[in-house]
């Protein structure tokens, strides 16, 4: 290639170059020439692939030096459209699973003749499943990719609902809810981390969690109608509906994510730091990443506890404290979840304009004010409206926390950290509703409101402890 100067311009002339035969050099042993840093990294990576003893087959890849690639969108490439729809349906199933407890508790308590503490075990037992999913989420992704999640999570749902439909003895019911909890925690972690890395994550996550809210709206509505209006059907008939939903979830998720194997996941999420810790340990122990992971995890623990405790005990509260009718009390749970769904869609567009840090700092005090109205004004209709508006402002909290984590953490830690935070946070759906039931045993279900108010104050403090959130960088 030669350059010729012509006045103020230059011309590039490409001249043919004869390539020499270098095949004889390929015959030489590798140890005759000094290896470069890059070749050493490649050799180490090949060794780690051959001896599958390393938890992360790409631990030794060098940090990327090229510019960041364009973020995927929910509808581009085309496969993402089908995967997004499958994730949406999975969240409908998860929402239906969580919200069904609240509508069914009065009937479970009567069917099995149980106290508040014992019936509250249906909230506590999924904790085992959520904890297991928090610990295994990263390993499942590295070994099996999103395909593994798409098979295991719906499979857990399906098995659990089939067993529940046979209305086994109560101890069996408690154990089987652990399996459902594992499925929920695994899908929750995986699809939050995946969509959190897309373009416009607040909006797309808002819709994802809105579908959770949609499932949570439908479950109490269907269950309450079947039990109170549908010829007084037994409570376990509702799980025939859940079986069909879980079966559809298995088909759609497995089909959409079949190509997303472990090899594909590892290629798209290479390690970008020099530490030798595996990804989970780096996210949980090594500063400054551990600070973000644990604050988000504790924030989501409190948030999910508030969400499920309100949705789970509101029917009982309205029946016993506000003296509501059965059907009207059941509909207040539907109103709460409907508010949550609408809030996630509408405020999902408001949150990125305000910024996640400021937006949540506004939503939480508004929620606390509504909680005070709910608690201190003893009128059925005032309580019903207040609980719906609480749902509206609580709605965007989970998506905003996930987006904040993606902005504060490097990409290779997103599945580990966000997955752990989401699954750990999901255990709040077990701990706090159980705590409400245990305290209600001695003091009545009216204790729900001060507990919720205290939790709202705690998660507000946790949110303010997050570092300043900058624009997402890769």
């Amino acid at each position: 290639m030669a350059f010729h100067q012509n006045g103020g311009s230059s011309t590039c002339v490409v001249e043919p170059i004869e390539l020499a035969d270098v095949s004889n050099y390929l015959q030489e042993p590798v140890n005759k020439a000094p290896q470069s840093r890059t070749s050493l990294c490649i050799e180490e990576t090949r060794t780690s692939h051959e001896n599958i003893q390393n938890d992360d087959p790409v631990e030794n890849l060098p940090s990327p030096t090229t510019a960041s690639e364009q973020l995927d969108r929910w509808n581009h490439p085309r496969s993402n459209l089908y995967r997004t729809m499958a994730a949406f349906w999975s969240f409908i199933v998860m929402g239906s699973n969580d919200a069904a407890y609240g509508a069914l508790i009065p009937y479970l308590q009567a069917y099995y003749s149980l106290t508040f503490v014992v019936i509250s075990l249906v909230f506590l037992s999924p904790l085992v499943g959520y904890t297991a999913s928090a610990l295994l989420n990263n390993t499942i992704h590295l070994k099996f990719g999103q395909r593994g999640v798409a098979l295991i999570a719906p499979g857990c749902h399906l098995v659990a609902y089939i067993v529940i439909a046979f209305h086994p003895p109560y101890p069996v019911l408690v154990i089987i809810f652990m399996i459902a909890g594992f499925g929920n925690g695994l899908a929750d972690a995986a699809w939050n981390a995946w969509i959190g890395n897309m373009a416009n994550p607040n909006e797309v996550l808002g819709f994802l969690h809105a579908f959770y809210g949609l499932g949570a709206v439908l479950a109490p509505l269907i269950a309450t109608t079947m039990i109170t209006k549908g010829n007084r059907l037994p409570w376990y008939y509702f799980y025939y509906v859940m079986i069909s939903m879980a079966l559809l979830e298995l088909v759609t998720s497995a089909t959409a994510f079949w190509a997303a194997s472990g090899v594909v996941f590892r290629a798209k999420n290479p390690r970008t730091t020099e530490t030798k810790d595996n990804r989970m340990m780096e996210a949980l122990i090594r500063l400054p990443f551990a600070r973000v992971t644990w604050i988000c995890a504790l924030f989501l623990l409190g948030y999910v506890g508030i969400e499920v405790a309100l949705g789970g005990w509101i029917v009982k509260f309205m029946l016993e404290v506000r003296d509501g009718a059965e059907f009207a009390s059941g509909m207040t749970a539907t109103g709460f979840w409907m508010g949550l769904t609408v809030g996630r869609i509408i405020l999902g567009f408001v949150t990125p304009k305000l910024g996640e840090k400021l937006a949540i700092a506004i939503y939480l005090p508004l929620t606390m004010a509504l909680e005070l109205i709910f608690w201190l004004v003893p009128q059925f209709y005032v309580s019903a409206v207040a609980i719906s508006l609480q749902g509206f402002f609580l709605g965007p909290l989970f998506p905003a926390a996930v987006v904040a984590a993606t902005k504060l953490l490097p990409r290779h830690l997103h599945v580990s950290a966000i997955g752990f935070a989401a699954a750990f946070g999901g255990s709040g759906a077990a701990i706090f509703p159980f705590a409400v039931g245990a305290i209600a045993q001695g003091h009545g279900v009216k204790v729900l409101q001060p507990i919720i108010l205290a939790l709202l104050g705690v998660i507000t403090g946790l949110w303010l402890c997050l570092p300043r959130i900058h624009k997402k960088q890769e």
Side-chain angles (χ1 to χ4, degrees):
M1 182 180 296
F3 291 88
H4 299 286
Q5 189 75 25
N6 296 319
S9 63
S10 60
T11 305
C12 176
V13 180
V14 180
E15 298 178 355
I17 300 174
E18 184 177 3
L19 298 176
D21 184 8
V22 295
S23 60
N24 60 314
Y25 293 106
L26 300 176
Q27 310 287 336
E28 296 179 9
V30 176
N31 58 6
K32 286 188 177 181
Q35 290 181 306
S36 67
R37 176 185 175 92
T38 304
S39 63
L40 285 171
C41 289
I42 294 173
E43 188 65 31
E44 290 173 6
T45 304
R46 180 168 39 194
T47 303
S48 67
H49 274 292
E50 291 172 354
N51 310 321
I52 312 232
Q53 296 172 354
N54 194 342
D55 289 337
D56 187 348
V58 289
E59 295 285 18
N60 297 312
L61 284 176
S63 300
T65 56
T66 58
S68 61
E69 62 182 30
Q70 186 176 2
L71 293 174
D72 282 356
R73 304 184 70 85
W74 70 271
N75 58 351
H76 182 80
R78 179 54 66 91
S79 60
N80 277 1
L81 174 62
Y82 306 115
R83 291 175 179 180
T84 302
M85 295 301 107
F88 285 174
W89 180 255
S90 182
F91 265 61
I92 288 178
V93 177
M94 291 162 55
S96 299
N97 179 89
D98 288 349
Y101 299 141
L104 296 176
I105 271 186
Y107 310 104
L108 283 169
Q109 189 174 14
Y111 184 85
Y112 289 106
S113 302
L114 302 172
T115 64
F116 274 115
V117 172
V118 178
I119 195 63
S120 297
L121 289 174
V122 299
F123 289 116
L124 189 62
S125 63
L127 175 62
V128 178
Y130 277 110
T131 303
S133 68
L135 298 175
L136 295 175
N137 171 61
N138 187 62
T139 302
I140 290 172
H141 272 82
L142 288 171
K143 291 184 180 295
F144 307 112
Q146 292 166 321
R147 178 200 295 174
V149 177
L151 292 171
I152 296 171
C156 289
H157 287 152
L158 188 59
V159 169
Y161 302 150
I162 289 173
V163 174
I164 295 169
F166 283 96
H167 50 99
Y170 188 70
V172 176
L173 198 68
V174 170
I175 293 170
I176 211 66
F177 277 130
M178 297 178 188
I179 298 175
F182 181 77
N184 264 28
L186 196 59
D188 196 14
W191 308 149
N192 269 296
W194 176 60
I195 291 181
N197 277 311
M198 288 184 178
N200 304 317
N202 269 297
E203 292 87 340
V204 184
L205 280 170
F207 274 93
L208 178 72
H209 287 268
F211 278 96
Y212 175 95
L214 177 61
V217 168
L218 294 174
L221 180 62
I222 294 171
T224 303
T225 303
M226 289 176 69
I227 295 170
T228 63
K229 303 292 184 182
N231 297 321
R232 295 284 177 174
L233 294 173
W235 63 268
Y236 49 84
Y237 271 49
F238 171 73
Y239 282 93
Y240 295 136
V241 177
M242 295 299 295
I243 289 170
S244 61
M245 293 174 67
L247 185 60
L248 183 57
E249 180 193 14
L250 178 60
V251 172
T252 54
S253 296
T255 303
F257 288 97
W258 188 259
S261 63
V263 173
V264 173
F265 174 80
R266 295 193 298 269
K268 287 186 175 181
N269 297 271
R271 177 178 285 283
T272 56
T273 55
E274 300 296 331
T275 175
K276 297 299 181 183
D277 297 333
N278 66 39
R279 300 183 189 207
M280 182 63 76
M281 291 300 101
E282 186 178 357
L284 298 181
I285 296 175
R286 187 171 295 274
L287 293 173
F289 307 139
R291 176 189 173 191
V292 175
T293 303
W294 280 106
I295 289 177
C296 287
L298 291 170
F299 176 85
L300 292 180
L301 177 77
Y303 165 74
V304 176
I306 292 167
E307 176 186 282
V308 180
L310 275 174
W313 285 105
I314 185 61
V315 177
K316 194 75 173 174
F317 180 89
M318 298 300 270
L319 282 169
E320 296 193 359
V321 180
R322 296 290 185 257
D323 298 320
E326 281 190 353
F327 186 78
S329 298
M331 289 303 98
T332 57
T334 298
F336 170 73
W337 293 110
M338 181 68 78
L340 202 82
T341 303
V342 175
R344 282 171 172 171
I345 294 173
I346 294 176
L347 297 181
F349 292 91
V350 176
T351 301
K353 297 184 184 303
L354 296 174
E356 290 79 20
K357 194 77 180 283
L358 175 60
I360 302 309
I362 293 172
Y363 302 154
L364 278 170
L366 289 173
T367 307
M368 294 173 74
L370 289 163
E371 177 59 31
L372 281 171
I373 294 172
F374 186 14
W375 181 15
L376 299 177
V377 181
Q379 297 292 330
F380 182 90
Y381 292 108
V382 172
S383 296
V385 173
I387 196 68
S388 299
L389 290 174
Q390 275 185 274
F392 180 81
F393 288 109
L394 283 171
L397 266 61
F398 200 121
V402 172
V403 174
T406 65
K407 292 181 177 180
L408 293 169
L409 295 168
R411 183 184 177 93
H412 76 276
L413 292 183
H414 286 177
V415 165
S416 302
I418 297 172
F420 175 83
F424 183 85
S427 63
I431 295 172
F432 295 112
F434 173 78
V436 170
I439 298 171
Q441 178 68 36
H443 302 280
V445 76
K446 62 185 178 182
V447 300
L448 174 67
Q449 306 315 320
I451 291 174
I452 296 299
L453 189 62
L455 285 174
L456 286 168
V458 169
I459 66 171
T460 301
L462 285 168
W463 183 256
L464 296 177
C465 290
L466 272 179
R468 180 176 296 178
I469 301 172
H470 301 285
K471 186 177 180 180
K472 184 187 292 188
Q473 296 178 349
E474 293 297 329

